């Protein structure tokens, strides 16, 4: 299964198992979504449970909050993560705080799915990684899968979760895995072990990282697209890196991170989002707080540059295996 | 207003402090002048309602015209009582704020009919998405004053655990959705709630309120779009009390067209109502609720009223409007008008009124004593500080457990 198919399958399962689940967003109904993530859902589950919405992200999320307060479990799609900003007020001021401000009387059991990241020549309005903005907000959960297997299990967990979850989907990985070079042709998911996606219901608890490559020399903290970059960098540099796929930023699996860094003594954080105040800063600070006496080198960050995402220079912007590999070699020399 | 010179038009009210109050720009139709259309009317046929004003009580305090709701006397009594109680509660709460027992308060003086008449026209199970100026909804639904006061005081009895500013009530049981400090957010959420009810074939409907100032926010427009597209069973109220803190209604676009007219482009039936006329507010709300329950979709109601006092306890209205303006408001006071109507019907008297006012003042005072025994913002019991870390998520994640330990609570 591709990641898109796994995500689609997760929604089928959720719609089947819980009559309160509803799915809506721009073009998600009849057409099945511009990335085909909601393909066939409307035909199978009916127009009242899977439907198209006006182009109003703030409205989509507000409607979800209201439906959630009513007792529904809305799963909404924001067509590109770059377009989530009109909905930030409803996400940050409303969904995130409804449980808190009502002392548990109301809550927002909503899931907001959105493709993020570069790799499709989307320029600065179809390539952003806004996860750090939302991870900063008390009351929101932020989840990012890196494989079809995880995508299905994590999405089902997100939908079943009673808290608002932002589910960012690495669009570069929708149709195939990644050797870290997004200027090369897409590889098929078929044959990749993580494309074995079981039928029916299964879920992966939010807040459990996955060690996708055990190693002894340095811990690489990655999520989404960058997991594949990290694997490629470890491969190409022959550095014995332990690659940790965080899977969810909030809640964060701090235990797995600290155990790994305490073992390796070195840590590189990698994300596609811009560096300043990015989630990598939080990770670096946590590692410093919890592993200071185990560290043999300063924590390194490999990230997108602090510029908007350029169209023509995607590859120069994107923190690929070369940049990460250089960091891995550098940190081993300290 | 037409521009007679090139340049930027910045709307200004007709009068400012030092001027005589002037409401001459308002055309106020006679009570009973407007027809009452059937609920299944084609919205295109009542476009004129967005520019007129539904009024029932005339200058002689009679209920006239097709909109007169012919309410039973006990409903009128209940309405009068709830409006008086709201006013008494507001008066007392401003006093305790001045005494430093809480940080802040917002009155609804002059607008009591907006909330109370709506509450009585709706079913108790319908869900309200109010602003901070519809405390009358809770009071008309007989919600205990002590519970409201506990919230205002953030005391040990505050069900919201001291997290919200005063007056930002929430009561799922009373069908009163949690108030947000971010203006307009509840408006589109109400539409989502109504859409949920519609999918379930639920009989309950939603009602939302917004100030005329806040109609400029995106959430107002999202609400109209979604309500119109999905024919959500929702009543969208705009409370035009003429002022948004110091900005007059023209700053929100009220000079160009009435706020009700915003509904026309969405094909939503839009009516303007005399918001100080209890009977008119009741009648139009009931009409809209009947439409919603019949699956005919949303209704937009502009309640034309006046904020007779300051925006909040932090505000001095004489800095931006004539001191004589409240008294000059041409549509009178909602409580006085209903009282005179009841007297005219022979169902009320000045003496009964005086003793009811006294009884309610006593009730407010007693409730106040009960609440203050549980603490005020200044002194007495508070919710345990450790609860500060609860309810961020359903289950407390590790980092919050660690932070709570670090805070030593
Ligand atoms: C998004 C947002 N912007 C600004 C404010 C500050 N604010 C609080 S009330 C208010 C005026 C609202 O006026 P209106 O909508 O007419 O309602 P009224 O107070 O007259 O009932 C403003 C600007 C806010 N609470 N939220």
């Amino acid at each position: 299964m591709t990641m898109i198919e796994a995500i689609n399958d997760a929604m089928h399962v959720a719609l089947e198992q819980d009559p309160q689940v509803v799915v809506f967003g721009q073009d998600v109904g009849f057409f099945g979504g511009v990335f085909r993530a909601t393909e066939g859902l409307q035909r199978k589950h009916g127009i009242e449970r899977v439907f198209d919405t006006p182009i109003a992200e703030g409205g989509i999320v507000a409607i979800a909050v209201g439906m959630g307060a009513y007792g529904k479990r809305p799963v909404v799609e924001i067509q590109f993560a770059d377009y989530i900003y009109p909905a930030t007020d409803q996400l940050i001021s409303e969904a995130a705080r409804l449980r808190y401000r009502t002392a548990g009387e109301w809550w927002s059991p909503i899931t907001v799915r959105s493709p993020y990241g570069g790799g499709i020549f989307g320029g600065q309005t179809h390539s952003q990684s806004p996860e750090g903005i939302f991870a900063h907000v008390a009351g929101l959960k932020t989840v990012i899968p890196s494989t079809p297997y995880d995508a299905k299990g994590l999405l089902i967990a997100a939908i079943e979760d009673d808290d608002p979850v932002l589910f960012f989907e690495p669009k570069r990985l929708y149709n195939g895995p990644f050797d870290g070079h997004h200027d090369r042709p897409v590889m098929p998911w078929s044959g990749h072990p993580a494309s074995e996606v079981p039928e029916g219901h299964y879920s992966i608890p939010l807040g459990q990282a996955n060690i996708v490559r055990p190693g002894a020399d340095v811990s690489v903290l990655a999520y989404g697209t960058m997991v594949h970059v990290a694997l490629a960098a470890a491969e190409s540099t022959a550095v014995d890196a332990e690659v940790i796929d965080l899977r969810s930023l909030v809640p964060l699996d701090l235990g797995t991170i600290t155990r790994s860094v305490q073992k390796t003594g070195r840590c590189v954080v990698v994300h596609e989002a811009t560096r300043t105040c990015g989630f990598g800063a939080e990770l670096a600070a946590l590692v410093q707080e919890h592993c200071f006496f185990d560290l043999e080198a300063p924590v390194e960050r490999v990230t997108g540059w602090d510029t908007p995402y350029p169209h023509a220079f995607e590859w120069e912007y994107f923190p690929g295996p070369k940049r990460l590999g250089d960091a891995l070699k550098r940190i081993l020399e300290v | 207003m037409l521009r007679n010179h090139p340049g930027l038009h910045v709307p200004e009210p007709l009068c400012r402090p030092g001027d005589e109050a002037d409401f001459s720009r308002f055309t106020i139709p006679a009570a009973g002048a407007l027809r009452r259309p059937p609920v299944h009317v084609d919205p295109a046929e009542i476009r004129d309602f967005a520019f007129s004003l539904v009024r029932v009580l005339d200058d002689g305090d009679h209920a006239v015209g097709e909109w007169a709701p012919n309410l039973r006397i006990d409903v009128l009594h209940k309405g009068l009582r709830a409006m008086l109680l709201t006013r008494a509660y507001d008066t007392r709460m401003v006093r305790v704020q001045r005494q430093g027992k809480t940080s802040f308060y917002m009155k609804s003086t002059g607008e009591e009919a907006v909330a109370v008449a709506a509450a009585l026209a709706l079913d108790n199970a319908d869900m309200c998405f109010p602003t901070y100026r519809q405390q009358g909804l809770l009071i008309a639904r007989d919600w205990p004053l002590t519970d409201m006061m506990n919230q205002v005081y953030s005391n040990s009895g505050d069900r919201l655990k001291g997290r919200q500013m005063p007056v930002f009530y929430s009561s799922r049981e009373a069908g009163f959705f949690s108030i947000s400090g971010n203006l307009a957010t509840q408006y589109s959420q109400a539409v989502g709630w109504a859409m949920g009810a519609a999918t379930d074939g639920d009989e309950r409907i939603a009602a939302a309120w917004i100030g005329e100032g806040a109609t400029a926010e995106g959430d107002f427009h999202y609400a109209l779009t979604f309500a119109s597209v999905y024919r959500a069973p929702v009543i969208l109220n705009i409370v035009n009390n003429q002022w948004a803190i110091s900005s007059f209604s023209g700053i929100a676009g009220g000079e160009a067209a009435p706020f009700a007219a915003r509904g026309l482009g969405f094909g939503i039936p839009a009516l303007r109502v005399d918001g100080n006329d209890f009977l008119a507010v009741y009648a139009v709300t009931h009409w809209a609720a009947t439409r919603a329950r019949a699956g005919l979709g949303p209704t937009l109601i502009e309640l034309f009223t006046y904020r007779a006092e300051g925006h909040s306890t932090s505000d001095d209205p004489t800095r931006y409007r004539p001191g004589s303006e409240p008294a000059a408001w041409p549509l009178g006071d909602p409580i006085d008008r209903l009282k005179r109507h009841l007297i005219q019907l022979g169902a009320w008297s000045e003496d009964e009124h005086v003793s009811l006012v006294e009884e309610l003042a006593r009730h407010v005072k007693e409730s106040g004593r009960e609440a203050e025994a549980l603490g005020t913002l200044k002194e007495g019991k508070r919710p345990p500080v450790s609860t500060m870390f609860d309810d961020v998520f359903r289950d407390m994640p590790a980092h919050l457990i660690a932070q709570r330990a670090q805070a030593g609570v």
Side-chain angles (χ1 to χ4, degrees), chain A residues 99 138-141 163 250, chain B residues 391-397 399-400:
Chain A
R99 184 190 295 281
L140 295 178
K141 292 181 174 171
D163 296 315
V250 181
Chain B
D391 308 312
V392 179
F393 297 101
R394 196 191 66 184
D395 304 312
M396 195 180 293
H399 70 282
L400 283 180

Side-chain angles (χ1 to χ4, degrees), chain A:
Chain A
M1 238 184 227
T2 66
M3 188 184 283
I4 270 288
E5 287 162 348
I7 286 165
N8 180 266
D9 196 34
M11 284 186 276
H12 269 298
V13 169
L15 281 158
E16 244 157 52
Q17 300 216 327
D18 183 352
Q20 299 308 328
V21 171
V22 282
V23 174
F24 52 94
Q26 293 151 25
D27 305 299
V28 308
F30 185 81
F31 180 55
V34 292
F35 288 100
R36 325 296 310 147
T38 54
E39 168 110 64
L41 295 182
Q42 186 178 73
R43 223 176 314 120
K44 178 126 186 248
H45 305 281
I47 199 163
E48 278 189 275
R49 296 188 66 201
V50 182
F51 55 87
D52 291 323
T53 62
I55 305 166
E57 291 75 12
I60 293 170
V61 173
I63 292 314
V65 171
M67 275 195 167
Y70 176 79
K72 298 278 164 194
R73 208 173 265 290
V75 183
V76 304
E77 177 175 299
I78 300 296
Q79 209 158 68
F80 286 86
D82 310 67
Y83 308 133
I84 207 163
Y85 303 116
T88 42
D89 188 39
Q90 284 287 340
L91 286 167
I92 295 175
S93 316
E94 302 294 314
R97 296 193 217 143
L98 189 56
R99 184 190 295 281
Y100 193 74
R101 78 179 199 221
T102 65
E105 198 172 55
W106 267 289
W107 56 94
S108 286
I110 72 173
T111 304
V112 179
R113 294 181 36 246
S114 193
Y116 86 98
I120 61 155
F121 289 103
Q124 40 87 35
T125 57
H126 297 80
S127 311
Q128 294 170 68
S129 304
E131 70 277 6
I133 295 172
F134 297 103
H136 185 61
V137 176
L140 295 178
K141 292 181 174 171
T142 304
V143 176
I144 304 182
S146 69
T147 66
Y149 177 84
D150 280 6
K152 178 172 172 184
L154 289 169
L155 182 53
I156 288 176
I159 295 171
E160 289 174 350
D161 199 287
D162 280 341
D163 296 315
V165 182
L166 287 146
F167 192 85
F168 289 114
E169 300 166 2
K171 63 170 104 62
R172 179 61 186 75
L173 302 177
Y174 268 159
N175 294 311
F178 194 36
D179 67 357
H181 294 263
H182 72 178
D183 49 350
R184 292 187 197 159
V186 175
M187 303 188 289
W189 270 113
S190 54
H192 190 285
S195 69
E196 300 270 311
V197 175
E199 275 189 30
H201 181 277
Y202 72 95
S203 66
I204 298 173
L206 307 184
Q208 283 187 10
N210 189 19
I211 300 178
V212 292
R213 183 190 190 283
D217 290 346
V218 49
S219 305
V220 180
L221 309 185
Y223 49 88
T225 312
M226 288 300 126
V227 172
H228 300 260
V229 170
L231 291 171
E235 205 66 34
S236 61
T237 53
V239 170
D240 191 15
E242 177 146 297
V243 178
I244 301 179
D245 179 356
L246 299 178
R247 296 205 287 208
S248 95
L249 310 190
V250 181
L252 183 70
D253 185 353
L254 188 58
T256 297
I257 295 171
T258 52
R259 275 191 300 277
S260 172
V261 178
Q262 280 159 4
K263 181 181 79 178
T264 62
R266 291 182 164 83
C267 180
V268 177
V269 174
V270 56
H271 60 60
E272 196 174 341
T274 47
R275 171 171 312 194
T276 302
C277 299
F279 195 70
E282 176 63 26
L283 291 170
L286 283 171
V287 167
Q288 185 274 139
E289 260 170 48
H290 292 270
C291 311
F292 184 73
F293 295 105
D294 304 289
L295 283 175
E296 287 168 41
V299 179
E300 278 239 26
R301 280 185 286 168
V302 178
T303 68
W305 307 122
D306 280 352
T307 72
Y309 218 117
H311 180 244
F313 308 119
E314 263 204 327
W315 190 229
E316 287 77 6
Y317 178 90
F318 185 82
K322 168 81 172 68
R323 252 161 62 200
L324 181 55
D326 289 348
L328 294 180
K329 285 186 268 181
R330 210 166 38 239
I331 203 171
L332 282 182
E333 283 162 16
V334 180

Side-chain angles (χ1 to χ4, degrees), chain B residues 101-118:
Chain B
K101 292 177 180 169
T102 187
S103 55
F104 176 83
Y105 192 76
M106 301 179 100
K107 285 175 131 181
S108 61
T109 312
E111 302 174 38
E112 291 88 348
V114 165
V116 170

Side-chain angles (χ1 to χ4, degrees), chain B residues 106 111 131-133 181-183 210-214 217 239 241 243-245 307 311:
Chain B
M106 301 179 100
E111 302 174 38
T131 80
Y132 45 69
R133 230 181 279 285
N182 291 43
L183 292 174
I210 194 172
E212 89 289 345
E217 290 281 1
V239 184
N241 64 7
W243 291 94
I245 311 188
R307 194 194 77 212
H311 170 75

Side-chain angles (χ1 to χ4, degrees), chain B residues 8-283:
Chain B
L8 186 70
H9 171 67
V10 179
E12 265 292 298
L14 285 185
C15 39
R16 284 294 195 188
D19 300 336
E20 260 318 297
D22 181 1
F23 287 109
S24 59
R25 67 187 183 281
F26 297 153
T27 352
I28 297 172
L34 277 175
R35 66 199 184 278
R36 186 183 187 283
V39 291
H40 56 264
V41 69
D42 179 348
E45 284 173 30
I46 56 163
R47 293 173 72 88
D48 55 317
F49 279 69
F51 299 89
S52 192
L53 211 52
V54 175
R55 305 183 69 222
V56 170
L57 285 172
D58 70 9
D59 294 342
D61 309 314
H62 298 87
V64 297
E66 293 175 16
W67 281 99
N70 300 318
L71 293 176
R72 291 199 322 263
I73 296 295
D74 63 315
V75 178
L76 297 179
H77 278 155
K78 184 159 199 284
L80 184 69
R81 184 188 170 87
M83 288 200 288
L84 278 170
L85 185 55
T86 304
R87 192 163 289 182
Y89 174 72
D90 278 353
T91 308
R92 170 101 193 164
M93 290 293 96
V94 166
R95 190 164 346 126
V96 302
Q97 190 276 338
R98 299 294 184 219
Q99 293 167 350
K101 292 177 180 169
T102 187
S103 55
F104 176 83
Y105 192 76
M106 301 179 100
K107 285 175 131 181
S108 61
T109 312
E111 302 174 38
E112 291 88 348
V114 165
V116 170
L120 299 188
L122 292 169
D123 197 276
N124 271 347
D126 293 332
M127 185 60 76
C128 297
F129 288 77
T131 80
Y132 45 69
R133 230 181 279 285
Q134 281 86 50
Q135 52 268 53
L137 290 169
L138 280 171
I139 290 174
R141 284 181 168 180
D142 298 321
W143 193 250
L145 293 187
T146 43
D147 190 84
M148 297 168 70
M149 289 170 169
N150 292 342
Q151 200 279 316
V152 171
Y153 286 138
S154 280
N155 66 16
S156 57
D158 176 11
R159 289 180 301 105
L160 306 185
K161 303 186 189 170
R163 290 172 186 164
Q164 284 270 52
M165 269 175 70
V167 315
F168 288 5
Y169 312 105
S170 175
S171 172
R172 184 189 264 273
E173 205 184 322
F176 187 99
F177 191 72
S178 153
I179 290 179
S180 175
N182 291 43
L183 292 174
T185 51
Q186 78 288 352
Y187 216 59
S188 36
Q189 290 164 359
V191 176
W193 193 98
M195 287 168 65
T199 12
D200 277 9
D202 194 328
E203 276 192 6
R204 294 175 298 162
I205 62 169
W209 286 260
I210 194 172
E212 89 289 345
T215 59
E217 290 281 1
D219 275 308
F220 173 77
H221 302 87
Y222 299 146
L224 265 62
T225 302
F226 282 74
S228 157
V229 168
Y230 302 105
R231 291 194 201 150
V234 63
I235 303 177
L236 298 167
N237 296 291
I238 302 169
V239 184
N240 179 359
N241 64 7
Q242 314 304 325
W243 291 94
I245 311 188
S246 71
S247 304
F248 89 119
S249 57
I251 291 293
E255 212 177 51
F259 292 95
R262 308 289 191 268
L264 298 183
F266 295 88
I268 298 177
L271 302 90
R272 276 171 110 224
V273 185
D274 175 349
N276 289 15
D277 179 341
F278 179 90
L279 295 174
V281 176
Y282 185 101

